[in-house]
């Protein structure tokens, strides 16, 4: 039986998704004994330092440009379907801000080790191709999917998570006055409830995206995000409690009032 090139590519995209799930599990096991080498946990054993603004801009840019090139030059078949358009808009909205705005708003910050920078760069290419190629070419949703509870709930979660993430980043950027150094306790917004408010926002964002997209491809991304960012949130929470005697004891690490 002959297999079309489209069937072959869809099979490859599926394999990419399962591989991402496997990598998430392996990464999760590694992070049980090792913090992500970034920011306050930076270490020279992970390579030479890269300026934090340069690192963020370069590593995140492929997540925007690679998918954009797919849309402009690959003539995708599903680009005119409304559910696909909304989901693609969610993806591009996040990465437009993350790659073209966020890096230039960073104030100070420790350099990023080259290994962390390189891994993030590769992931952004990998995931950008996976998510956008599937949504623009292969995702086939049932009639009326935009009014389905999964799509509506997922879209609302994405929006709430996106807003939490942006607001939390704003709080973190403004912790220090010009010329100040050192760390301070973040206050306001969702930081009143959890130490990793920015991480919670992004986890909720991509969980909503996965619910609305309803595919193994989007689930793999959401699961990978959960593993990486929850580890950072718990590490930050422990660090804050050790560093600041007056750190709010009622504040949780990631899930308000729970965990």
């Amino acid at each position: 039986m002959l297999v079309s090139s489209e069937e072959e590519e869809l099979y490859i995209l599926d394999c990419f998704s399962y591989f991402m799930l496997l990598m998430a599990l392996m990464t999760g096991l590694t992070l049980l004994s090792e913090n992500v080498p970034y920011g306050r946990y930076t270490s020279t054993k992970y390579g030479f330092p890269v300026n934090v603004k340069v690192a963020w801009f370069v590593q995140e840019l492929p997540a925007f440009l690679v998918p954009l090139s797919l849309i402009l030059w690959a003539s995708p078949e599903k680009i005119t379907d409304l559910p696909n358009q909304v989901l693609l808009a969610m993806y591009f909205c996040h990465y437009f801000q993350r790659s073209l705005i966020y890096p230039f708003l960073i104030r100070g910050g420790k350099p990023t080790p080259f290994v962390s920078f390189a891994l993030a760069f590769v992931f952004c290419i990998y995931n950008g191709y996976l998510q956008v190629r599937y949504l623009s070419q292969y995702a086939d949703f049932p009639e009326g999917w935009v009014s389905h509870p999964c799509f509506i709930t997922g879209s609302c979660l994405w929006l709430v998570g996106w807003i939490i993430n942006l607001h939390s980043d704003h709080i973190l950027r403004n912790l220090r006055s010009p010329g100040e150094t050192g760390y301070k306790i973040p206050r306001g917004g969702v930081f009143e409830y959890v130490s990793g408010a920015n991480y919670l926002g992004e986890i909720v964002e991509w969980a909503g995206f996965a619910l609305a997209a309803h595919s193994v491809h989007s689930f793999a991304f959401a699961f990978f995000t959960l593993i990486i960012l929850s580890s950072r949130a718990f590490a930050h929470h422990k660090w804050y409690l050790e560093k600041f005697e007056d750190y709010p004891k009622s504040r949780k690490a990631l899930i308000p009032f729970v965990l």
Side-chain angles (χ1 to χ4, degrees):
M1 182 176 64
L2 294 176
V3 178
S4 70
S5 59
E6 287 197 349
E7 289 176 322
E8 288 180 347
E9 185 182 23
L10 182 56
Y11 175 74
I12 291 172
L13 292 176
D14 291 345
C15 291
F16 277 6
S17 302
Y18 293 120
F19 182 71
M20 186 182 289
L21 289 170
L22 176 62
M23 290 304 297
L25 291 173
M26 293 175 64
T27 302
L29 291 174
T30 302
L31 292 177
L32 291 175
S33 57
E34 187 84 18
N35 288 323
V36 176
Y38 168 77
R40 66 197 67 178
Y41 313 112
T42 294
S43 172
T44 54
K45 71 178 181 178
Y46 293 103
F48 62 84
V50 182
N51 177 274
V52 65
K53 288 188 176 184
V54 173
W56 267 105
F57 176 69
V58 175
Q59 75 189 30
E60 298 290 318
L61 193 59
F64 182 77
L65 292 184
V66 170
L68 184 62
S69 67
L70 291 173
I71 298 295
L72 295 177
W73 291 299
S75 301
E77 295 181 2
K78 301 294 183 180
I79 196 68
T80 58
D81 295 353
L82 182 57
N84 306 58
Q85 290 177 337
V86 174
L87 289 162
L88 288 167
M90 293 178 188
Y91 177 91
F92 279 108
C93 183
H94 174 90
Y95 278 107
F96 177 84
Q97 193 278 337
R98 185 60 72 182
S99 62
L100 299 176
I101 298 176
Y102 176 79
F104 303 101
L105 297 177
I106 294 174
R107 297 180 180 179
K110 292 184 177 180
T112 302
F114 179 78
V115 171
S116 297
F117 159 72
L119 289 175
F121 180 81
V122 171
F123 178 81
C124 284
I125 295 174
Y126 185 102
N127 185 61
Y129 177 83
L130 173 63
Q131 301 304 323
V132 173
R133 183 59 176 166
Y134 175 74
L135 285 172
S136 63
Q137 182 66 26
Y138 298 106
D140 192 11
F141 296 100
E143 187 75 22
W145 181 247
V146 291
S147 61
H148 192 282
C150 284
F151 190 87
I152 294 173
T153 304
S155 299
C156 290
L157 282 173
W158 179 88
L159 181 60
V160 169
W162 186 65
I163 291 172
I164 291 174
N165 185 243
L166 290 183
H167 184 244
S168 301
D169 282 344
H170 172 77
I171 291 173
L172 291 173
R173 278 196 304 272
N174 289 278
L175 281 178
R176 305 186 190 101
S177 300
E180 280 189 320
T181 59
Y183 290 95
K184 293 183 177 181
I185 298 174
R187 301 185 186 278
V190 182
F191 278 114
E192 293 299 317
Y193 306 98
V194 295
S195 300
N198 50 329
Y199 302 137
L200 174 62
E202 193 160 347
I203 289 169
V204 170
E205 187 180 345
W206 295 120
F209 177 82
L211 181 60
H214 231 62
S215 71
V216 66
H217 316 83
S218 57
F219 173 75
F221 181 26
F223 184 67
F224 195 95
T225 301
L226 172 65
I227 294 296
I228 297 295
L229 298 189
S230 62
S231 173
R232 291 187 187 179
F234 287 116
H236 279 19
H237 185 67
K238 179 182 178 181
W239 184 88
Y240 278 126
L241 288 172
E242 292 174 350
K243 185 173 181 63
F244 297 101
E245 292 183 0
D246 59 339
Y247 194 73
K249 299 301 185 290
S250 61
R251 192 177 296 188
K252 300 299 182 181
L254 185 64
I255 305 176
F257 313 112
V258 178
L259 186 65

